[in-house]
């Protein structure tokens, strides 16, 4: 097999295996060598890297990763793709293929088994229907990743990179920017996939921070506040925090506490920076 980014060769391969795309599994396969190169360059893969790929599909990205990295573990949910992957990956002895649902898999267990517990890079052209839960798992479960390089729907990428006060700014922004530094790698038109999705995409690198940009006393409490702040975007900060039940301070005391921190209680929560949210969480809990 010469190139899986050739639409004709990919279609022939899939037809030979009697494979039909599943819309509900977010199957849009990449057929553009230039974008593939940009993903590999953006992920800065070298011969020492251990790479976890989610959703290898027919193996296009997997092959490119395996030729640059020390080892690749690829997790694919769709059983029908396993014989196809066995064929496309047969020349590589550094790929472990795991048939599983990434949302249910014990990822730390996999890292221990396949990577001897060492840190890894996540690289994936993600299925769009579960982009956010996948990324949140990696961020919140303390998995030892160095960076996450993912193709995601344009709108989701914009939420991850958003600045405070914009419509895209929300709890995903705060979680992503608390743990990582986003870096835009390239914009991707829908036409580079078979079949083309309804949305455009962006390849984004999320480089793990050595430590969070703000000091937070209680991480769970901080994220509870973040969730509360964005759940009622139109209300004032004072009303949102009071109504959320995350603390049992009376409204007047809460007002004084916010004013004492130099934060206007009548502001909308979405105008708060990550620093402001950390300040409030540290004072509240
Ligand atoms: N990597 C391939 C490419 O770039 O051409 C395919 C990408 S396609 C957008 C997403 C892939 O994720 C599909 O192969 C799909 O079957 C797989 N997938 C969907 N849901 C999954 C899940 N919960 N766990 C693991 N893989 C999943």
């Amino acid at each position: 097999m010469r190139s899986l980014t050739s639409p004709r060769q990919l279609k022939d391969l899939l037809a030979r295996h009697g494979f039909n795309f599943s819309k509900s599994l977010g199957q849009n396969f990449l057929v553009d060598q230039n974008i593939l190169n940009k993903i590999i360059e953006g992920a800065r893969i070298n011969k020492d890297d251990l790479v976890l790929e989610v959703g290898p599909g027919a193996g296009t990205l997997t092959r490119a990763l395996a030729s640059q990295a020390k080892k690749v573990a690829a997790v694919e949910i769709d059983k029908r793709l396993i014989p196809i992957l066995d064929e496309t990956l047969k020349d590589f002895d550094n790929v472990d293929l795991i048939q599983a649902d990434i949302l249910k898999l014990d990822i730390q267990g996999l890292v221990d088994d396949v990577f001897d517990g060492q840190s890894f890079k996540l690289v994936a052209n993600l299925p769009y229907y579960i982009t956010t839960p996948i990324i949140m798992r990696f961020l919140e479960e303390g998995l030892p990743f160095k960076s996450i390089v993912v193709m995601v729907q344009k709108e989701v990428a914009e939420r991850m990179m958003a600045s405070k006060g914009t419509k895209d700014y929300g709890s995903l922004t705060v979680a992503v920017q608390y743990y990582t530094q986003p870096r835009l790698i390239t914009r991707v038109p829908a036409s580079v996939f078979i079949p083309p999705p309804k949305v455009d995409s962006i390849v984004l690198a999320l480089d793990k921070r050595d430590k969070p940009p703000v000091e937070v006393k209680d991480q769970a409490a901080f994220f509870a506040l973040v969730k509360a702040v964005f759940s009622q975007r139109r209300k004032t900060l004072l009303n949102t925090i009071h109504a959320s039940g995350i603390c049992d301070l009376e409204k007047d005391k809460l007002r004084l506490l916010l004013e004492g921190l130099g934060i206007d209680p009548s502001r909308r929560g979405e105008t708060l920076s990550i620093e402001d949210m950390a300040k409030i969480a540290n004072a509240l809990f």
Side-chain angles (χ1 to χ4, degrees):
M1 190 158 330
R2 272 173 306 170
S3 169
L4 289 173
T5 49
S6 147
R8 195 180 50 80
Q9 291 200 30
L10 178 67
K11 281 181 185 162
D12 285 352
L13 167 77
L14 299 177
R16 214 159 21 79
H17 286 268
F19 177 84
N20 295 312
F21 291 98
S22 156
K23 215 174 172 181
S24 62
L25 289 178
Q27 291 176 342
N28 306 97
F29 292 180
L30 182 65
V31 283
D32 187 299
Q33 189 62 42
N34 182 34
I35 300 290
L36 186 61
N37 294 344
K38 286 192 176 163
I39 298 174
I40 301 292
E41 280 162 25
R44 299 171 178 162
I45 304 292
N46 64 55
K47 274 287 165 215
D48 294 325
D49 279 330
L50 305 170
V51 179
L52 177 58
E53 186 192 3
V54 175
T60 315
L61 177 57
T62 327
R63 281 160 43 127
L65 290 167
S67 64
Q68 304 282 324
K70 184 173 179 188
K71 194 166 192 183
V72 179
V75 178
E76 172 58 60
I77 196 171
D78 190 345
K79 288 190 180 72
R80 302 171 306 152
L81 286 167
I82 304 302
I84 297 177
L85 287 161
D86 284 340
E87 180 180 330
T88 58
L89 300 174
K90 68 175 186 313
D91 294 336
F92 295 92
D93 59 8
N94 59 342
V95 181
D96 275 23
L97 188 57
I98 299 114
Q99 195 265 312
D101 178 346
I102 192 69
L103 292 182
K104 297 194 182 135
L105 185 69
D106 168 8
I107 303 175
Q108 184 61 56
L110 177 138
V111 170
D112 291 343
D113 289 351
V114 182
F115 297 151
D116 284 333
Q118 294 174 59
S119 58
F120 62 91
K121 293 181 174 173
L122 171 67
V123 185
N125 173 7
L126 287 178
Y128 293 167
Y129 73 108
I130 45 168
T131 300
T132 304
I134 294 176
I135 291 187
M136 290 307 290
R137 261 205 88 175
F138 282 87
L139 295 179
E140 286 179 332
E141 288 183 20
L143 293 162
F145 70 87
K146 291 183 189 163
S147 60
I148 296 177
V149 172
V150 276
M151 169 104 69
V152 297
Q153 184 177 334
K154 176 174 150 273
E155 288 72 15
V156 177
E158 284 166 352
R159 282 166 50 205
M160 295 187 200
M161 295 184 292
S163 311
K164 67 175 174 149
T166 62
K167 72 167 180 16
D168 290 329
Y169 187 60
S171 31
L172 180 65
T173 319
V174 176
V176 164
Q177 296 185 12
Y178 178 82
Y179 292 108
T180 75
Q181 277 181 300
R183 171 163 59 89
L184 186 138
I185 294 178
T186 187
R187 295 177 184 278
V188 183
S191 56
V192 301
F193 298 95
I194 295 182
K198 289 205 170 63
V199 291
D200 288 335
S201 304
I202 282 182
V203 180
L204 202 62
L206 307 174
D207 298 315
K208 186 145 177 203
R209 293 181 186 273
D210 293 334
K211 65 183 186 58
V214 288
E215 218 166 291
V216 162
K217 282 196 241 160
D218 177 341
Q219 213 159 280
F222 169 71
F223 281 108
L225 173 78
V226 171
K227 201 171 149 212
V229 160
F230 290 112
S231 64
Q232 305 273 345
R233 298 179 75 106
R234 297 186 165 275
K235 282 194 185 169
T236 67
L237 189 57
L238 178 65
N239 285 338
T240 307
I241 300 180
H242 188 249
S244 71
I246 52 170
C247 69
D248 44 20
L249 277 188
E250 285 162 22
K251 218 169 179 176
D252 283 341
K253 292 213 172 113
L254 190 55
R255 181 182 288 111
L256 285 175
L257 180 141
L258 291 170
E259 284 170 353
L261 296 172
I263 294 171
D264 178 353
S266 66
R267 268 167 75 175
R268 285 192 187 169
E270 67 197 36
T271 65
L272 295 177
S273 64
I274 297 183
E275 289 74 21
D276 292 334
M277 292 192 225
K279 244 203 265 179
I280 299 174
N282 288 344
L284 273 181
F285 304 107

